[in-house]
Amino acid sequence: MDYIKNFEQDLAYYFSELLEKPLAKPLWIYLSLSHKCTYRCQMCGVVNILQGHELSASAVKNIFDTISAWDWDSTIVLTGGEVFLRSDIFEIIEYGVSRGLKIEAVSNGALIDRDLADKIISSGLKNIAISLDGAKEATHDAIRQKGAFNKAMTAIDNLVKSKFRAAGGPQISVWVTIMRENVGELFDVIPLVKQAGVECLVYHPVIVNQDDMQNTSPAARFWLREDDIEFLRKQIDKIVEYQKKNGLVAFLHDPYLWLKHFKGRLTKKEWKCNPFVFVNVGPDGDVRSCGAAFGNVKDMSLDECLKTGEADRARKTMKNCQKPCLQTCWANPQSDYLSGIIDNLIRNLRASRIDRTAKKEILLKALSGLNSYEEMLKNA
């Protein structure tokens, strides 16, 4: 573990938010290559917007060049639409991997036959995530399309077998969207994907409108109703108990926050966005974190987009947002509080096996980093 690099990165997120300056680079960069898709899923509206737009391979490569110069622990997520509809998808992945970047992809699995699975496994991706919205065929298909469940499970099977043959490859994950239609099957997804060979399972709450993260309405379709909440609590209890004993499930925040989220009672003391953590580039090239775009990669570099006046205003709007969306790509809870950042470093050092001299050097570097931010605060 690079203790000082993790410490310095968390400090950068904390002080970026405090000083309202881009001292940190995005942790997550989502590239929506195109909104073309094999399905028209009930809870997803991207196929209805920006049709005819596609982020060109040259634009993506320019973004990769920018990110590779950051020396930052960023993850690029290729999404859409369905990313494997792109004929140049492996050219894009290969270029990013050649630049030393950590790249993941999200797919509905509709196109992943044995040949495509082999290409994905050997591509250099760090993670391939398959969307699965129920433990039962009828549930998943009602949300997405008839036959979608079997295609998703076949995709997982093809990926697992290909990774076994190759003796390595990306982590194989499943992403589950929590909604009223599948709340009774959330735990049942676990044995299903575990048996299939999946290595990581992530849950996240449904978004009412993917263009407006603040649009979290209890009147919306797919939103959990009051009588669903207690049932969700029981599902969480079972999932948490399983995770403690067996792993597999990755919690990016406290899962019991889902209850308050669906009740509309989640506060910023419990969960908040850090406006410097996440950025999305749409198929039209527009760059945004949440809300209005603040640049376009067709006209300027990603670095330049992050430094515009519009970017400053967008981040200030996010910072002042009073309606948390609970989307994990915006959160970085380990950097929310300065005391927590320091405590985490000390806890990790105590648990490590490095000698006292090395620990002292790390602490001195950490102190130097804190002193530099103190000077910034004095001059702010």
Side-chain angles (χ1 to χ4, degrees), residues 139-188:
T139 303
H140 184 82
D141 286 3
I143 294 166
R144 292 186 176 259
Q145 181 176 303
K146 186 174 177 57
F149 178 85
N150 287 331
K151 287 182 178 179
M153 295 305 298
T154 297
I156 292 169
D157 185 58
N158 286 333
L159 289 166
V160 169
K161 288 177 178 177
S162 178
K163 185 171 180 176
F164 178 79
R165 290 193 297 271
Q171 181 184 61
I172 300 170
S173 303
V174 159
W175 287 7
V176 179
T177 302
I178 303 169
M179 57 188 107
R180 189 181 191 191
E181 282 69 10
N182 66 10
V183 67
E185 301 174 25
L186 296 177
F187 178 79
D188 292 339

Side-chain angles (χ1 to χ4, degrees), residues 61 63-72 76 96 99-101:
K61 290 177 181 178
I63 293 169
F64 287 168
D65 289 341
T66 297
I67 298 170
S68 66
W70 286 352
D71 188 27
W72 201 260
I76 299 160
R99 302 291 285 164
L101 300 176

Side-chain angles (χ1 to χ4, degrees), residues 18-292:
L18 183 67
L19 296 169
E20 298 183 347
K21 293 181 179 180
L23 305 171
K25 300 298 185 182
L27 185 64
W28 296 98
I29 302 99
Y30 276 46
L31 302 184
S32 299
L33 301 179
S34 166
H35 285 174
K36 294 177 182 176
C37 196
T38 55
Y39 301 144
R40 299 184 69 88
C41 301
Q42 298 295 312
M43 78 299 185
C44 178
V46 298
V47 294
N48 299 319
I49 58 176
L50 298 179
Q51 288 302 305
H53 291 276
E54 191 167 85
L55 202 58
S56 69
S58 60
V60 175
K61 290 177 181 178
N62 287 337
I63 293 169
F64 287 168
D65 289 341
T66 297
I67 298 170
S68 66
W70 286 352
D71 188 27
W72 201 260
D73 187 22
S74 299
T75 298
I76 299 160
V77 181
L78 304 178
T79 183
E82 172 52 48
V83 296
F84 293 110
L85 282 171
R86 288 282 297 248
S87 61
D88 57 357
I89 185 62
F90 291 105
E91 174 192 343
I92 288 171
I93 294 170
E94 181 182 5
Y95 186 83
V97 170
S98 74
R99 302 291 285 164
L101 300 176
K102 184 163 53 177
I103 302 175
E104 303 183 359
V106 184
S107 172
N108 60 32
L111 304 174
I112 303 179
D113 57 15
R114 176 169 174 164
D115 289 342
L116 185 55
D118 286 344
K119 291 179 181 178
I120 292 169
I121 293 300
S122 64
S123 66
L125 284 173
K126 293 297 183 183
N127 181 70
I128 173 67
I130 303 298
S131 299
L132 191 65
D133 293 321
K136 298 177 182 177
E137 179 180 353
T139 303
H140 184 82
D141 286 3
I143 294 166
R144 292 186 176 259
Q145 181 176 303
K146 186 174 177 57
F149 178 85
N150 287 331
K151 287 182 178 179
M153 295 305 298
T154 297
I156 292 169
D157 185 58
N158 286 333
L159 289 166
V160 169
K161 288 177 178 177
S162 178
K163 185 171 180 176
F164 178 79
R165 290 193 297 271
Q171 181 184 61
I172 300 170
S173 303
V174 159
W175 287 7
V176 179
T177 302
I178 303 169
M179 57 188 107
R180 189 181 191 191
E181 282 69 10
N182 66 10
V183 67
E185 301 174 25
L186 296 177
F187 178 79
D188 292 339
V189 170
I190 293 177
L192 176 70
V193 301
K194 178 67 174 178
Q195 185 177 7
V198 168
E199 299 158 311
C200 180
L201 175 60
V202 178
Y203 297 90
H204 55 89
V206 68
I207 302 170
V208 175
N209 184 334
Q210 290 180 318
D211 278 343
D212 181 6
M213 299 304 172
Q214 297 181 38
N215 186 3
T216 53
S217 169
R221 187 180 180 188
F222 298 111
W223 201 256
L224 269 64
R225 306 296 189 257
E226 189 66 33
D227 56 354
D228 299 316
I229 300 298
E230 188 55 35
F231 197 77
L232 175 61
R233 182 187 300 276
K234 293 176 181 178
Q235 292 281 295
I236 296 171
D237 288 343
K238 293 168 69 176
I239 293 168
V240 168
E241 185 64 24
Y242 179 92
Q243 195 270 347
K244 287 178 180 178
K245 294 179 179 178
N246 305 287
L248 181 67
V249 182
F251 292 134
L252 303 183
H253 53 238
D254 180 359
Y256 287 96
L257 294 180
W258 299 337
L259 300 170
K260 288 190 174 183
H261 174 67
F262 283 112
K263 288 181 179 180
R265 298 175 187 170
L266 190 62
T267 69
K268 293 186 72 171
K269 289 183 179 180
E270 297 160 313
W271 187 97
K272 66 184 181 72
C273 299
N274 184 312
F276 296 89
V277 167
F278 169 84
V279 69
N280 177 78
V281 183
D284 57 351
D286 274 352
V287 180
R288 50 171 49 87
S289 290
C290 187

